[in-house]
Each structure stands twice: as structure tokens, then as C-alpha cells.
Amino acid sequence: YKRQLFNIAAGADGSISLNLKEDATGTGVERAPEETVVGVVEKTFTTKSAVVPQLGTPGFLLDQVQQYGIVWPGWDSGAARQLGGTAVRFVVEQLEGPGKVFLWETNFATLNPILRDAAGAPSFQMVPGSVIAQSEPAHQHANWLFSAPGTYRMTVRAEVDTPGGTLTSSARTYTWAVGDAAIAAAQGHDNGGPGSGSDSGERRRRWRAGRFIYSGRRNRTGSWRRGKRCGSEWHPDRWS
């Protein structure tokens, strides 16, 4: 199932914002990143990346070509065209996790770096200050590799160059659960992002074996209710 992890939305006032857009529970469904967790299932683990010089580690691989039963994350800046956008940048402000994160195009034989470091040099590893740069608004997918299982959080902002100047979005935090144990743990815990936890009085989880399979919200008694299962998907009940 396709997911635009970093999705730019254009506001009626000429501003831009970031959200997450997915096709698992509908078509082009937009979500708040802080209320969503992206699951990377155990079967994505590979040792082939360990012998690739630019990577040098085994890890959990999400291919740039869509694979059945595997989340397919990318990014989409197409909405920036409405505002006269030209060049686009997704800037990683913070990155937390138990391992390294790599991003590139093509395959293990010929790796093309997508990221640029703070100095503008090509890079395969994502770190704070890394930039995904696009010469024009576009929808794009790539290979992702997580070197260790666990929970990763990426705080990202978008920048769009327009004839009237550069537009900058607020930063949003995206959470990944890598490996089956991390997915199981996340199904029972908040991801700690803004708008979640006891302070807001609600919690949402949407999963599906590397996609969305669960959605829940705290009711007035403080217990948790599960969504309705429709085929292989989880859809939330309607709440009053």
C-alpha cells in the first residue's frame, strides 16, 4: 500500500503544511503524522545490504518498487505547483532511533544518493540536517534501510521556492516501528507525539502489517475501543 510519508498540502492562504497521506484505508487519506505509526514488518530484514560499501550493514529494507504486503513510503510535493512552487526541500531537523537510516535510488548494484548533507554533499545516511531536494514538485519513491529494530522518529519540515519567496512549513514528527516486536509494542503505547497521550484524552493507532491495521480512541470511561474489521483492514467506529 502506498504512503506519501512526507506530503505537502497547499493552504488557501498561500501557505504550505506537511501531513501523511495513505491508500490503505481509502484513496489519498490524509493523516496527522503525530497520530500515526508506520510499521515495517520483520520479513523485510535482509543481510544483502551488509556487503554494499555505501551501506555496510544488514537491516530492514523497504524497496523503491512496490512489494505486496510491505509498506511503500515516498514523498509528494505536487501540491506546491498550485502556489507556483519550483524547487522543494524536505529538511530533517531531528532523527532518533536505535540504528542508522539510509535512503537511495535504484538497487544494490548501482546506488544513487537522494540525500544531501548540511553542506550540500551527496549522502546515503540520513542524519539531522539531511535534505531531500527536488528540482521541481514531484511524487517520488526510494529505498529505505533501517539497520536495527525499534522505534524511529523523524522531525521534518518542508521548504518550497516560489516567485514570491521561500515558503516553509511547520515541522512534523513521523514515527516508525521497525520489526514485529516494535509493532506489537506500539499497538499498546502512545508514540509520544503532540496531540497524543493523556493530555489530549485520546490515542490513535492505524496499522496493517506494515500498513494501517488498527485505530482506537479513548471513550468517556477511559477504556479503549477497537475499530471494525472490514476484510483485511481495520476501520474505526464512528465516535459521538
Side-chain angles (χ1 to χ4, degrees):
Y1 276 73
K2 183 169 61 179
R3 175 172 289 117
Q4 304 319 322
L5 188 71
F6 311 136
N7 183 66
I8 290 180
D13 61 353
S15 65
I16 61 169
S17 60
L18 273 178
N19 59 27
L20 182 150
K21 185 166 65 175
E22 50 89 3
D23 293 340
T25 63
T27 301
V29 180
E30 295 185 358
R31 308 286 188 187
E34 292 82 6
E35 296 178 353
T36 307
V37 176
V38 181
V40 181
V41 292
E42 199 76 26
K43 67 179 181 180
T44 62
F45 184 79
T46 181
T47 58
K48 294 179 180 179
S49 54
V51 298
V52 178
Q54 298 93 328
L55 306 174
T57 179
F60 297 80
L61 174 67
L62 301 177
D63 200 291
Q64 75 176 61
V65 177
Q66 187 171 16
Q67 306 292 321
Y68 178 78
I70 305 297
V71 67
W72 190 36
W75 49 92
D76 192 347
S77 57
R81 295 191 189 96
Q82 303 172 29
L83 305 174
T86 53
V88 177
R89 294 170 296 280
F90 296 96
V91 182
V92 180
E93 294 187 354
Q94 298 180 39
L95 176 60
E96 301 174 358
K100 298 178 180 179
V101 181
F102 297 89
L103 190 65
W104 75 96
E105 287 183 311
T106 66
N107 51 38
F108 285 148
T110 305
L111 280 69
N112 294 326
I114 291 177
L115 297 167
R116 297 292 183 269
D117 63 20
S123 175
F124 291 97
Q125 185 179 343
M126 180 179 288
V127 297
S130 291
V131 177
I132 299 171
Q134 296 179 302
S135 59
E136 60 182 6
H139 170 196
Q140 187 174 0
H141 287 269
N143 301 288
W144 299 76
L145 184 76
F146 297 83
S147 67
T151 300
Y152 294 75
R153 292 185 177 89
M154 301 172 180
T155 300
V156 178
R157 73 175 187 270
E159 299 175 349
V160 176
D161 293 340
T162 74
T166 298
L167 302 175
T168 302
S169 75
S170 297
R172 305 299 297 268
T173 298
Y174 297 79
T175 300
W176 305 71
V178 177
D180 291 352
I183 290 175
Q187 285 177 313
H189 295 83
D190 252 350
N191 70 6
S196 63
S198 58
D199 289 343
S200 67
E202 66 180 39
R203 176 174 62 178
R204 299 179 181 91
R205 286 292 174 269
R206 299 172 180 91
W207 295 90
R208 182 174 179 238
R211 299 176 285 256
F212 292 84
I213 60 168
Y214 177 78
S215 181
R217 178 175 177 138
R218 190 187 302 275
N219 64 24
R220 293 180 181 178
T221 64
S223 61
W224 290 93
R225 299 168 62 188
R226 295 182 69 86
K228 295 179 180 178
R229 190 172 183 84
C230 303
S232 58
E233 301 284 357
W234 281 102
H235 296 274
D237 290 320
R238 294 184 178 275
W239 309 105
S240 56

